Amino acid sequence: MPFGKAPRYNAYFSFSKIYEIKLVICVIVYGRNDNYSYALDRRTALGLNQMARQLVVGRDEIIFVDYNSDDDLPTYPEAIADTLTREAIALIRVIRVRPEVHAAAPVEGPPVRESFCRNVALRRIKSETQWVLSTNPDCMLISAGGGITLGALVEKLPAGYFGLPRFELPRIVWETLPRTDPQETARQVLDYANAYALNECVSHYLSAIGYDGPGDFQLASADDLLAIGGFDESMTRGWHVDSNLNARLALIYGGLTNFNEASGGDLALYHTEHSRRISPKHQSGRAEDPFETYVERVTEKIPVGQEADWGAPDEEFEEFALVDPPAKRAIYELSQHTTPAPSASYVYGPESFDNLPPAPDSHLAMFLVDHLAFAKPGSKIGWLREDPDKADWLRKAIKVSELPLHVLDGAAAEVIEDSDILCLEAPLDSEGGDATKQALCEIIGVEQGRLKAGAAPRKIVGLNITHTRFEEPFMTFVACPLTPVSARIRFGEVKQFEAGPIDLMDHFEPGPSGKVLDGKIVSQLGEEGYMAMVRRPILPGHWRVDFTVRKTALSRRKIVMDVALDNQRLAHVAVSKLSLSNASQSIVFESGLDGMFGGFFESRLWVDGKTQVTLDAVSLTKL
């Protein structure tokens, strides 16, 4: 058996068991695994590691809403966890909001809805939370004076809402900071701030807003934020969300209070300035939520039109503590439940085509789980294979990895129709494979139909596809990267079917009697044979090849365009008795599975070498 029993995985550290103190502060941040603007990984690590120094592990928490990261990518906190301190990791709770949520609410603006993200976090704070700090992960909050932290200073706050001026750190400064050493980072930042007079306070002309860039430090009581309906979700363009919140809180308290003045603290807020690369949100001519409507003319504490279900309180988004992320747990558990086996060794070349040695179960399982680990919980994994026992093998691999996924096997048509991710395993030997051929053909046909109807593309994972007769047709119809041979996997999404004629001119190559001249393929006088040809897999069905050739006027020399599968001619047309200088013809033919596998579709233009011929146009249309 490839999978056995092993002890339960435990997170490599946990601070949450150390403290049993009433939760006081919840820090709300959001982001997306897309490297927004510039060097987001460094900026985020600098910010989160400094924030962790301001909080009490086991009492406070940081909620990171990961919004609209691609389904097959880790959340952003997971992706940068190796650059976060133990304290930061212990504080972070991740809430994942999938792309389908964003797609279901098409709105104008960037691919991240800030108000919704912050509301998702706000609706899920723990009941003990007293203070909520809404901020951004690329800002560093540093104790500038006696080292008293935010976690201690909030105990002295009166009722109200609080802000801090934002100081800018030039890129050349923050790029040199040691992100994994927050204490040294803080020391350097304070030294540079003093040397370059960086603590430049820019106040806002409205007392309700307080400072320029107010969203980098907005502290208010949890009760107040919940009572006023959180952030205004009608604001989708990514501008003035923070000012709108302050304007509404001002209806209760009259205006913003400087946090340091209210608490007796000496905190400094530094933003890692990142406008060197222009992002859509910060480019000139950008669209903004109107300041006059959402800030200057605000008269209601609760946003006008805000639904009662702001922040989607009943939606069960994926949540996990960063100390114990599902993907890390999955690879640990899988390693503990696999039987060790020697790694394969082979030569990658003609002699190993369609003849690679089988990979150990553990090897194949790991590369497959690599494509499944970040799938949405409950996703259905379709399994199409020649070996019926492999479905149980995959179920065991998923079970021991503790991934909340379901395996579908059985009738190919049902599996293809009902799955969220499709896995197709090709046989390793050079014989057989008819079921795999038929399954791949059906996958492509069904998926192209779904795409035409507006459905989202599904991931297609091909196992044992690499360096086999299945590779060329798979990569023709599935947009996929060139994964290493040792991964034994090709993966991607089925390409959208071209409704109109497929232009084959860029695919044609000169034959023995042809050459390329000025971007066209022309015949070589005196050379009889094929002057131009193309070879590619095609789906089964009825097709038509349309072509135009140009020849010497009044010439009646013989020219032949044919269609073949694996050199076996299916149809042809002769252009020998046409005296016009331009001749356009069509060939209609039918292809079966052989047009995808082995006997690929070929189209060839033959000349007798007695006259000059140019191939001007050629296209392929599915009828």
Side-chain angles (χ1 to χ4, degrees):
M1 293 292 290
F3 302 104
K5 295 183 179 180
R8 174 72 172 83
Y9 165 81
N10 291 311
Y12 62 94
F13 63 81
S14 176
F15 289 91
S16 58
K17 298 177 182 178
I18 300 176
Y19 300 95
E20 299 213 358
I21 307 172
K22 183 177 180 182
L23 188 71
V24 175
I25 304 173
C26 177
V27 177
I28 291 175
V29 292
Y30 72 96
R32 183 174 183 236
N33 193 353
D34 64 353
N35 199 29
Y36 167 72
S37 189
Y38 172 77
L40 182 61
D41 51 355
R42 174 176 286 275
R43 293 186 283 122
T44 300
L46 287 168
L48 292 178
N49 287 341
Q50 287 299 327
M51 185 59 67
R53 300 181 72 218
Q54 298 292 329
L55 303 174
V56 178
V57 174
R59 184 195 74 177
D60 304 325
E61 68 174 349
I62 300 171
I63 297 182
F64 194 111
V65 177
D66 184 273
Y67 183 88
N68 201 20
S69 291
D70 291 348
D71 279 330
D72 62 347
L73 292 180
T75 63
Y76 197 60
E78 289 175 275
I80 64 167
D82 63 307
T83 63
L84 300 179
T85 61
R86 289 163 54 94
E87 291 77 13
I89 292 175
L91 285 159
I92 294 174
R93 175 159 61 107
V94 180
I95 300 176
R96 181 165 195 163
V97 181
R98 295 274 178 176
E100 65 185 31
V101 176
H102 184 73
V107 292
E108 184 179 359
V112 178
R113 291 187 288 156
E114 178 180 353
S115 293
F116 182 72
C117 289
R118 296 195 186 280
N119 282 346
V120 165
L122 185 57
R123 283 290 206 174
R124 288 159 180 79
I125 61 174
K126 296 180 181 179
S127 59
E128 304 93 328
T129 302
Q130 296 175 353
W131 293 102
V132 173
L133 174 62
S134 180
T135 183
N136 290 304
D138 61 351
C139 292
M140 289 183 278
L141 188 61
I142 297 175
S143 299
I148 303 177
T149 64
L150 175 70
L153 293 170
V154 292
E155 299 176 4
K156 304 176 182 179
L157 289 180
Y161 71 106
F162 308 90
L164 282 174
R166 185 179 86 172
F167 308 139
E168 295 296 333
L169 281 182
R171 188 183 73 165
I172 197 172
V173 172
W174 59 258
E175 277 190 328
T176 64
L177 300 174
R179 72 187 95 172
T180 57
D181 187 347
Q183 184 173 350
E184 175 60 18
T185 289
R187 186 193 67 77
Q188 290 187 28
V189 167
L190 295 176
D191 284 349
Y192 288 134
N194 181 60
Y196 302 125
L198 297 180
N199 290 9
E200 184 173 272
C201 178
V202 182
S203 298
H204 199 280
Y205 74 91
L206 294 177
S207 61
I209 311 308
Y211 304 100
D212 181 52
D216 289 323
F217 188 100
Q218 287 182 288
L219 184 71
S221 75
D223 290 341
D224 283 342
L225 293 177
L226 293 169
I228 67 170
F231 294 81
D232 190 338
E233 292 185 6
S234 71
M235 304 180 71
T236 61
R237 295 176 175 176
W239 278 92
H240 312 312
V241 168
D242 43 14
S243 295
N244 171 266
L245 182 75
N246 279 3
R248 290 186 287 118
L249 286 169
L251 298 176
I252 303 174
Y253 294 107
L256 178 136
T257 301
N258 179 285
F259 175 81
N260 286 333
E261 293 176 2
S263 66
D266 194 11
L267 298 184
L269 178 71
Y270 295 95
H271 174 244
T272 52
E273 203 281 326
H274 52 88
S275 60
R276 184 72 64 87
R277 294 291 181 267
I278 301 176
S279 66
K281 183 177 176 180
H282 292 89
Q283 65 184 349
S284 59
R286 64 190 178 272
E288 297 184 6
D289 300 298
F291 188 81
E292 296 81 3
T293 301
Y294 286 103
V295 182
E296 291 183 332
R297 300 174 187 170
V298 167
T299 59
E300 300 292 335
K301 289 179 289 188
I302 297 177
V304 177
Q306 185 94 308
E307 300 291 339
D309 63 349
W310 59 270
D314 300 323
E315 185 73 29
E316 293 186 4
F317 296 121
E318 299 155 63
E319 293 188 32
F320 59 89
L322 193 55
V323 296
D324 189 20
K328 187 168 187 176
R329 184 166 63 249
I331 61 173
Y332 175 85
E333 291 291 358
L334 187 61
S335 71
Q336 296 301 302
H337 288 78
T338 55
T339 301
S343 298
S345 180
Y346 49 90
V347 176
Y348 177 55
E351 63 277 5
S352 60
F353 182 79
D354 252 350
N355 193 33
L356 291 180
D361 282 346
S362 58
H363 180 98
L364 201 58
M366 184 67 266
F367 279 102
L368 182 55
V369 167
D370 181 41
H371 289 277
L372 306 179
F374 302 107
K376 181 182 178 181
S379 293
K380 292 172 287 187
I381 312 302
W383 184 250
L384 300 162
R385 75 288 175 209
E386 302 274 336
D387 181 359
D389 295 332
K390 274 297 180 74
D392 289 336
W393 169 85
L394 178 60
R395 286 192 178 92
K396 291 175 182 176
I398 288 176
K399 182 178 180 180
V400 301
S401 301
E402 299 188 4
L403 296 175
L405 306 173
H406 306 293
V407 177
L408 301 183
D409 65 329
E414 295 177 3
V415 171
I416 294 170
E417 184 68 28
D418 297 336
S419 299
D420 299 303
I421 298 173
L422 285 162
C423 297
L424 175 68
E425 183 189 28
L428 284 171
D429 58 82
S430 59
E431 302 296 327
D434 289 344
T436 303
K437 295 178 181 179
Q438 187 64 42
L440 179 56
C441 184
E442 290 181 24
I443 288 172
I444 295 165
V446 169
E447 195 65 5
Q448 288 185 340
R450 293 177 73 256
L451 294 174
K452 187 176 181 180
R458 295 179 291 181
K459 176 183 276 192
I460 315 298
V461 181
L463 288 82
N464 296 329
I465 296 290
T466 309
H467 202 43
T468 71
R469 61 194 182 282
F470 300 98
E471 183 172 36
E472 187 170 354
F474 189 92
M475 296 185 68
T476 297
F477 297 102
V478 179
C480 55
L482 293 176
T483 48
V485 176
S486 60
R488 307 297 185 96
I489 280 176
R490 289 279 187 251
F491 70 94
E493 298 172 350
V494 170
K495 299 174 184 177
Q496 179 75 56
F497 178 71
E498 298 178 68
I502 302 170
D503 187 353
L504 292 181
M505 279 299 292
D506 289 340
H507 301 278
F508 261 79
E509 296 180 356
S513 61
K515 62 182 179 180
V516 177
L517 182 65
D518 296 329
K520 303 285 187 179
I521 298 178
V522 300
S523 62
Q524 300 190 70
L525 289 176
E527 296 287 341
E528 180 181 0
Y530 289 107
M531 62 166 276
M533 59 184 64
V534 68
R535 180 179 185 273
R536 59 174 283 165
I538 60 173
L539 291 170
H542 288 85
W543 295 84
R544 185 183 72 239
V545 172
D546 300 298
F547 67 95
T548 299
V549 295
R550 176 162 33 100
K551 57 191 178 64
T552 304
L554 303 180
S555 170
R556 294 178 180 272
R557 294 295 180 181
K558 187 177 181 182
I559 304 170
V560 176
M561 175 70 86
D562 68 10
V563 168
L565 289 180
D566 197 22
N567 290 316
Q568 299 298 313
R569 179 183 284 183
L570 298 180
H572 71 281
V573 61
V575 193
S576 59
K577 296 182 179 181
L578 297 177
S579 59
L580 298 176
S581 59
N582 288 300
S584 296
Q585 294 285 329
S586 298
I587 304 175
V588 175
F589 67 98
E590 182 177 2
S591 173
L593 272 176
D594 284 343
M596 283 183 64
F597 302 94
F600 296 147
F601 153 77
E602 295 178 30
S603 185
R604 307 171 294 194
L605 181 60
W606 182 93
V607 294
D608 62 5
K610 303 294 178 61
T611 189
Q612 188 76 54
V613 177
T614 302
L615 179 62
D616 273 344
V618 60
S619 63
L620 179 67
T621 303
K622 196 171 193 302
L623 303 178

